[in-house]
């Protein structure tokens, strides 16, 4: 696979994950963003805080500094702090802007460079692939929680249940 093709693919994948999360966040109230089931599962607000911290740490100076930045306090990302809905969305967008701006500026020759995460060497491509596993894992959690909270009021982010045949009938060539 050519480096240009890979870079275009990851740009599209990351943007699709951002879109899924954004559509979910936009449907929820501040109270819903902070909702937690019993036990210690994370609220959507905590997941957003974690993704924000992770993205800023990994993608700031991606090719030149360790991906685990000295100033990051990962444990604090999982503490409830009653951020407003606006603050949660601001962190969501700030993290994604850092990630997407970095990805948009990568060149094919950058993919073979060595980057470090917590002192461990990785090819840049491997570090990107780590994020392609990590980020959608958490976006899936956000979508799942949002869907559970909205129940029957949830509007599908893809093809709604029971409507695949109709979708493919209206969209020739998509099957």
């Amino acid at each position: 696979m050519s480096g240009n093709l890979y870079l275009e693919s990851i740009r599209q994948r990351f943007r699709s994950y951002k879109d899924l999360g954004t559509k979910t966040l936009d449907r929820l109230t501040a109270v819903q963003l902070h909702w937690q089931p019993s036990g210690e599962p994370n609220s959507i607000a905590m997941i957003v805080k974690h993704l924000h911290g992770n993205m800023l740490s990994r993608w700031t100076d991606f090719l030149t500094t360790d991906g685990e930045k000295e100033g990051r306090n990962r444990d604090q990302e999982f503490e409830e702090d009653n951020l407003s809905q606006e603050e949660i969305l601001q962190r969501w967008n700030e993290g994604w802007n850092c990630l997407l701006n970095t990805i948009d500026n990568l060149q094919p020759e950058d993919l073979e460079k060595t980057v470090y995460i917590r002192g461990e060497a990785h090819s840049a491509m491997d570090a990107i692939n780590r994020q392609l596993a990590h980020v959608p894992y958490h976006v899936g959690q956000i979508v799942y929680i949002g869907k559970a909270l909205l129940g029957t009021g949830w509007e599908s982010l893809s093809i709604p249940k029971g409507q695949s045949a109709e979708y493919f009938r209206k969209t020739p060539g998509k099957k």
Side-chain angles (χ1 to χ4, degrees):
M1 173 186 299
S2 78
N4 283 323
L5 183 61
Y6 175 76
L7 288 170
E8 186 54 36
S9 175
I10 62 169
R11 288 178 186 123
Q12 290 175 6
R13 289 301 115 229
F14 278 124
R15 281 182 171 80
S16 71
Y17 301 133
K18 179 182 188 286
D19 187 50
L20 288 172
T22 299
K23 286 179 180 177
T24 301
L25 296 174
D26 287 346
R27 297 173 182 189
L28 302 172
T29 67
V31 170
Q32 290 169 321
L33 292 171
H34 289 281
W35 176 84
Q36 287 179 267
S38 61
E40 292 191 33
N42 298 317
S43 68
I44 289 174
M46 289 177 188
I47 296 168
V48 169
K49 283 175 33 182
H50 170 60
L51 282 172
H52 173 260
N54 179 271
M55 289 174 176
L56 293 182
S57 190
R58 296 292 184 270
W59 297 101
T60 300
D61 302 322
F62 174 67
L63 296 172
T64 58
T65 63
D66 192 288
E68 189 66 24
K69 303 296 184 279
E70 199 171 297
R72 180 180 183 200
N73 185 342
R74 185 180 181 281
D75 291 335
Q76 193 173 46
E77 295 165 11
F78 298 101
E79 294 175 7
E80 184 57 64
D81 57 10
N82 296 314
L83 291 174
S84 70
Q85 189 171 16
E86 294 76 25
E87 290 170 313
I88 293 166
L89 294 173
Q90 182 272 328
R91 288 186 186 198
W92 174 259
N93 288 316
E94 183 181 25
W96 277 106
N97 289 340
C98 181
L99 182 155
L100 293 171
N101 287 336
T102 300
I103 292 292
D104 286 344
N105 287 298
L106 289 176
Q107 301 301 312
E109 57 270 17
D110 294 330
L111 298 173
E112 295 182 33
K113 292 181 178 177
T114 300
V115 300
Y116 293 87
I117 302 171
R118 298 182 189 120
E120 183 181 338
H122 302 273
S123 70
M125 185 183 291
D126 186 43
I128 292 166
N129 289 338
R130 280 179 58 147
Q131 288 289 282
L132 277 171
H134 181 250
V135 171
Y137 168 80
H138 289 303
V139 170
Q141 291 175 320
I142 290 169
V143 172
Y144 182 82
I145 294 168
K147 187 174 182 177
L149 287 169
L150 294 177
T152 58
W154 177 259
E155 293 179 32
S156 178
L157 298 175
S158 61
I159 303 169
K161 284 184 181 181
Q163 296 183 26
S164 296
E166 178 67 13
Y167 172 81
F168 290 122
R169 186 185 64 72
K170 287 182 176 178
T171 315
K174 286 282 188 173
K175 198 168 188 181

